[in-house]
Amino acid sequence: MFKKRRGIIITIDGPAGAGKSTIARKIADKLLLTYINTGDLYRFITFHALQNELDVKNEEEMKTLSDKLFGECLSKNNCHNFFSKIEKLSDLIHTPKINEYVSIVAQHPSVRKSLIPVQRILAKNGSIVMEGRDIGTVVMPSADIKFFLVADQETRVNRRLEELIRKGYNITFQEVEKEIINRDLIDSKRKDAPLTKPEGAIIIDTSNKNVSQVVEEMLIIIRSIKV
């Protein structure tokens, strides 16, 4: 299915709660590809900003922090080992508090710009499923296959609520709904790389579908495309 001389690059974009992370990981597992959640890079910066009591609204402070955190892996042109360390912090960077502030950090143009080379290094050898909010538009516009996942707001809120409850958080539907609405507003209105459907992306509506149904739908599409 894929050319032997290189791997395939699949991008999956979409708003919070559309199912990107779960589905992207499943697709990667099924196709034996590497999975990268680019949102974790912004969550990692946000985590350290809050740990060090920095002002997440201060773009200069966030850019300096980003350069400090990712400078070494960029200088070595190899960020895979570093990203593996970030993945091990998953429980710490996927919390309601991080959810509250990560979109503020991610809207800073200089921070987004500083992370583009990190993401491209992670994808440089292909054979990857990369998900986020600007992967098919900015980071990997020439990706082999692009998807854009959507879902109605109630579905997205319920998914995020169930996820947080499973992790032991005492949180209400209304609180999660407020967070989702706020993140949508920030992501879609930011001046730099706003959340939009990438050119040529295939839209997949995940509302009223389980993970297996969506994964199978996407795998049929992927296997039908010659790259």
Side-chain angles (χ1 to χ4, degrees):
M1 176 174 61
F2 308 142
K3 293 179 181 179
K4 297 296 183 182
R5 62 184 175 83
R6 65 172 178 83
I8 185 174
I9 295 177
I10 299 172
T11 63
I12 301 178
D13 290 298
K20 297 188 304 300
S21 299
T22 301
I23 291 164
R25 190 181 292 278
K26 291 283 187 181
I27 294 288
D29 288 344
K30 292 282 187 179
L31 298 177
L32 302 180
L33 304 177
T34 300
Y35 163 67
I36 298 291
N37 181 344
T38 62
D40 283 355
L41 302 177
Y42 296 99
R43 289 176 174 276
F44 186 65
I45 295 171
T46 305
F47 171 76
H48 280 277
L50 296 179
Q51 285 285 97
N52 291 282
E53 299 183 345
L54 301 178
D55 181 3
V56 296
K57 295 182 179 180
N58 187 309
E59 182 172 356
E60 185 175 346
E61 284 190 16
M62 294 302 99
K63 173 61 165 59
T64 299
L65 178 60
S66 176
D67 290 343
K68 179 181 179 181
L69 293 173
F70 296 100
E72 184 177 356
C73 86
L74 280 170
S75 66
K76 294 180 178 178
N77 198 35
N78 186 344
C79 294
H80 289 83
N81 290 337
F82 187 74
F83 188 79
S84 295
K85 294 178 182 179
I86 294 177
E87 286 190 307
K88 292 177 181 178
L89 296 175
S90 182
D91 288 344
L92 295 177
I93 63 177
H94 287 269
T95 67
K97 188 171 184 179
I98 298 297
N99 291 346
E100 183 180 353
Y101 293 104
V102 65
S103 287
I104 298 174
V105 173
Q107 73 178 325
H108 295 311
S110 62
V111 174
R112 300 196 70 83
K113 185 176 180 179
S114 72
L115 289 183
I116 290 175
V118 175
Q119 294 166 91
R120 288 178 176 166
I121 286 172
L122 290 169
K124 67 180 180 180
N125 295 322
S127 300
I128 193 167
V129 177
M130 183 172 278
E131 60 108 332
R133 286 170 169 75
D134 66 346
I135 310 308
T137 54
V138 176
V139 180
M140 289 288 146
S142 59
D144 298 292
I145 303 174
K146 303 177 188 178
F147 289 102
F148 190 76
L149 304 191
V150 297
D152 61 68
Q153 183 172 294
E154 183 176 358
T155 296
R156 292 163 56 211
V157 172
N158 277 323
R159 284 174 180 164
R160 183 55 56 84
L161 179 63
E162 290 171 8
E163 175 190 352
L164 292 171
I165 289 176
R166 281 198 307 271
K167 291 180 178 179
Y169 293 102
N170 183 17
I171 195 165
T172 66
F173 180 94
Q174 290 73 22
E175 289 172 318
V176 177
E177 183 177 45
K178 181 179 178 181
E179 177 237 319
I180 291 284
I181 291 172
N182 185 56
R183 291 185 68 183
D184 283 351
L185 180 64
I186 293 175
D187 288 343
S188 62
K189 298 298 183 182
R190 64 177 177 242
K191 293 181 180 180
D192 189 69
L195 174 64
T196 56
K197 173 185 169 292
E199 182 178 355
I202 300 164
I203 298 177
I204 303 290
D205 190 340
T206 67
S207 306
N208 304 313
K209 297 176 184 176
N210 61 39
V211 172
S212 296
Q213 289 172 323
V214 177
V215 169
E216 186 57 33
E217 180 180 350
M218 292 172 67
L219 286 175
I220 290 172
I221 294 171
I222 293 168
R223 288 167 176 154
S224 70
I225 297 175
K226 294 182 180 180
V227 297

